[in-house]
Amino acid sequence: GENVEQHPSTLSVQEGDSAVIKCTYSDSASNYFPWYKQELGKRPQLIIDIRSNVGEKKDQRIAVTLNKTAKHFSLHITETQPEDSAVYFCAANPLNDYKLSFGAGTTVTVRA
Amino acid sequence: DVKVTQSSRYLVKRTGEKVFLECVQDMDHENMFWYRQDPGLGLRLIYFSYDVKMKEKGDIPEGYSVSREKKERFSLILESASTNQTSMYLCASSWDSRYQPQHFGDGTRLSIL
């Protein structure tokens, strides 16, 4: 099955700086890569996803990049704000497979 | 706006009890999921259902069963609760051609004493 590793486990950034979280995956058949954000005490929310037919996707201050050759994908948050403080999870699986494999999560803290 | 509602936010049960966790979604989604969330382990899939009375095992189904008698409701059952099932349980749903969770509930923090 798929194995997803996520780094770093914690990340502290100054407000206004960028944050980058990286995930690697093992199964070359994986072609769907979502990212979830979970604020303290709240439900996870799907914030962005990418499929393997594109290399980058942006949504306002959030972007995800995918390197299929190296089997890694990253989440980039620019101009970080206090409300970006949360745990972020990456995940991967083939599109037609319900067994989404999650990374262990990255706790992002944005310092004012 | 999609709403996934889990019946309890916090639950305390005793070892050996049969425990029911209930989840209801209001968007007529075909797919529903049960995950458990533990620190340092991310989310792990327990069971998945793609239709009424249909279910598939996830990565960690041992000690659990599920029931989907109606499209909107997906129940997780701990047949005989054990202390290692103390965890946060998350229900999720997605529309029919998406086999990945899109909308999560608030979670049930279950403690087994």
Side-chain angles (χ1 to χ4, degrees):
Chain A
E2 177 62 273
N3 181 41
V4 177
E5 294 193 357
Q6 184 171 347
H7 299 279
S9 57
T10 60
L11 181 60
S12 180
V13 296
Q14 190 70 36
E15 183 177 357
D17 288 350
S18 295
V20 181
I21 303 168
K22 183 176 175 179
C23 291
T24 60
Y25 61 99
S26 60
D27 188 350
S28 57
S30 286
N31 54 9
Y32 177 67
F33 308 91
W35 286 87
Y36 296 85
K37 174 185 179 182
Q38 186 176 29
E39 296 176 42
L40 188 64
K42 297 194 175 179
R43 65 185 72 187
Q45 289 184 300
L46 176 65
I47 55 172
I48 194 167
D49 56 16
I50 192 169
R51 302 191 182 189
S52 59
N53 56 347
V54 297
E56 184 175 1
K57 185 176 178 181
K58 285 184 180 179
D59 183 3
Q60 299 181 1
R61 296 185 296 107
I62 291 174
V64 57
T65 58
L66 171 65
N67 184 325
K68 284 178 61 181
T69 304
K71 288 192 276 188
H72 67 72
F73 57 111
S74 300
L75 179 72
H76 304 254
I77 308 173
T78 58
E79 301 173 20
T80 53
Q81 300 170 5
E83 55 264 36
D84 295 328
S85 294
V87 179
Y88 292 82
F89 294 97
C90 64
N93 78 335
L95 257 179
N96 59 354
D97 186 345
Y98 60 90
K99 287 189 182 180
L100 190 63
S101 295
F102 283 81
T106 297
T107 301
V108 174
T109 303
V110 180
R111 307 186 306 272
Chain B
D1 200 19
V2 175
K3 200 165 175 79
V4 179
T5 303
Q6 294 183 230
S7 53
S8 305
R9 288 299 302 270
Y10 302 94
L11 206 54
V12 179
K13 296 291 182 181
R14 296 207 172 273
T15 304
E17 281 192 72
K18 191 168 185 176
V19 181
F20 293 84
L21 302 183
E22 307 287 346
C23 176
V24 176
Q25 50 95 2
D26 66 358
M27 280 300 290
D28 203 35
H29 282 174
E30 301 287 341
N31 305 320
M32 296 188 75
F33 310 78
W34 274 107
Y35 288 89
R36 65 177 281 177
Q37 181 177 13
D38 299 289
L41 295 177
L43 279 70
R44 293 179 292 165
L45 181 66
I46 305 171
Y47 268 98
F48 164 66
S49 171
Y50 55 92
D51 202 350
V52 174
K53 297 191 186 297
M54 306 306 288
K55 62 185 179 184
E56 295 285 347
K57 291 181 180 179
D59 296 311
I60 51 166
E62 297 79 17
Y64 303 94
S65 63
V66 290
S67 172
R68 188 139 181 231
E69 296 296 320
K70 293 185 178 182
K71 192 174 185 180
E72 68 270 18
R73 186 181 296 271
F74 192 32
S75 303
L76 180 69
I77 303 153
L78 285 67
E79 298 291 343
S80 177
S82 63
T83 54
N84 62 11
Q85 292 178 308
T86 291
S87 186
M88 170 68 85
Y89 290 87
L90 289 163
C91 175
S93 73
S94 68
W95 49 276
D96 49 3
S97 64
R98 291 284 297 271
Y99 294 116
Q100 298 81 24
Q102 293 174 284
H103 304 281
F104 282 87
D106 285 329
T108 295
R109 185 162 295 282
L110 175 65
S111 296
I112 307 295
L113 304 179

